[in-house]
Amino acid sequence: MIKDKLKYIPEIDGLRAIAVLLVVFYHLKIPYFSGGFLGVDIFFVISGFVISLNISNLIKEKNFSILNFFYKRILRILPSVISVSLLCFLIAFFYFSPNQFKDTLKVILSSLSFFSNYYFAFNNDYFDNISKFQPMLHTWSVSLEIQLYLVFGLFTYYFYKIDAPKKEAYFLVLIFLLSIIGSQFSGNLKLEYPFVEKKFEFFNQSKYFSFYFIFGRLWEFLAG
């Protein structure tokens, strides 16, 4: 029998509660919480910690299976995505115009396939006013989390199979550094000499390292 239940850590739930409140207060535009979107960053760090601990325990018990690992992650998240998608479908069907209904169907399909982060990256700016009327915009983070599980699980499975934990550690440290550098400075880079913008900015993301994309978020997951 495969054991993958983790010991309950109350501090993790405390951090989750703080993250939820930060995000809720941010969206409610409560004063002094303009940076409340950092709650999402906290969630990714927590996910990295919990998933790493889970994988570590399974490897120690020689029970790690990439298919079983990914299946359980999907099983945990998919029901809530289906519920929200069904509710949004019904609302859109009865109250939206034909064009709005068509757009909502695209969002629902991208959410159910866990690729809504890419859909929104090329179709919506999270901070545009029109995004306030997109009821499934939040599913970008769910899609991204599933993708992080898959990538991290595959990396772990590969190094687990070749029995090279030290190489895995070096590789993940390298990915961590590239991810955090990309998420902070990539917008300063350009293809022409001298390959860096004259006015160098500390926080300057390129489109492909934005918070919608997996590589720009890997460092948070790995930090956990």
Side-chain angles (χ1 to χ4, degrees):
M1 180 178 178
I2 295 177
K3 299 177 181 178
D4 66 350
K5 290 186 178 180
L6 298 175
K7 179 181 177 182
Y8 176 68
I9 305 175
E11 291 82 2
I12 294 296
D13 276 347
L15 281 174
R16 285 193 179 112
I18 292 173
V20 169
L21 290 175
L22 285 173
V23 173
V24 171
F25 291 165
Y26 166 74
H27 283 291
L28 291 177
K29 298 187 181 302
I30 293 178
Y32 308 111
F33 286 93
S34 59
F37 53 83
L38 291 176
V40 178
D41 302 88
I42 295 174
F43 271 119
F44 283 125
V45 175
I46 292 173
S47 292
F49 173 78
V50 172
I51 292 304
S52 299
L53 189 60
N54 177 254
I55 289 176
S56 177
N57 289 341
L58 291 173
I59 288 177
K60 287 177 182 177
E61 297 171 2
K62 300 186 183 301
N63 282 326
F64 181 70
S65 163
I66 183 63
L67 292 178
N68 187 60
F69 166 76
F70 197 56
Y71 168 74
K72 291 195 173 183
R73 304 287 78 76
I74 291 286
L75 194 63
R76 182 175 181 179
I77 292 176
L78 190 57
S80 59
V81 176
I82 291 175
S83 300
V84 172
S85 297
L86 180 60
L87 178 61
C88 289
F89 174 84
L90 293 174
I91 293 174
F93 182 80
F94 287 107
Y95 296 103
F96 285 10
S97 68
N99 285 335
Q100 289 176 320
F101 178 68
K102 184 178 179 180
D103 290 340
T104 301
L105 284 181
K106 292 179 181 178
V107 174
I108 289 174
L109 290 175
S110 68
S111 299
L112 291 173
S113 59
F114 299 115
F115 277 96
S116 62
N117 55 321
Y118 294 105
Y119 177 85
F120 290 125
F122 293 107
N123 290 278
N124 293 80
D125 186 316
Y126 190 88
F127 300 100
D128 282 347
N129 286 329
I130 194 172
S131 294
K132 297 176 182 179
F133 302 97
Q134 176 48 259
M136 296 191 69
L137 183 61
H138 64 284
T139 62
W140 73 265
S141 62
V142 177
S143 296
L144 185 54
E145 190 164 0
I146 285 292
Q147 293 160 25
L148 285 168
Y149 290 159
L150 177 60
V151 170
F152 191 68
L154 288 173
F155 283 153
T156 303
Y157 180 74
Y158 171 74
F159 287 106
Y160 169 59
K161 280 297 184 181
I162 66 174
D163 194 24
K166 287 187 177 179
K167 288 184 179 180
E168 179 191 21
Y170 296 145
F171 178 75
L172 293 180
V173 168
L174 175 62
I175 294 298
F176 173 84
L177 293 174
L178 291 175
S179 175
I180 195 170
I181 290 172
S183 66
Q184 298 295 320
F185 309 119
S186 57
N188 293 298
L189 304 178
K190 57 181 184 178
L191 296 176
E192 300 83 15
Y193 180 84
F195 307 112
V196 178
E197 296 288 349
K198 291 182 179 179
K199 186 180 179 182
F200 191 90
E201 298 180 7
F202 176 76
F203 182 74
N204 188 356
Q205 291 181 325
S206 68
K207 183 177 181 66
Y208 299 103
F209 280 89
S210 73
F211 63 87
Y212 278 130
F213 286 80
I214 186 170
F215 203 78
R217 289 287 187 172
L218 266 173
W219 71 272
E220 295 176 339
F221 197 78
L222 292 175

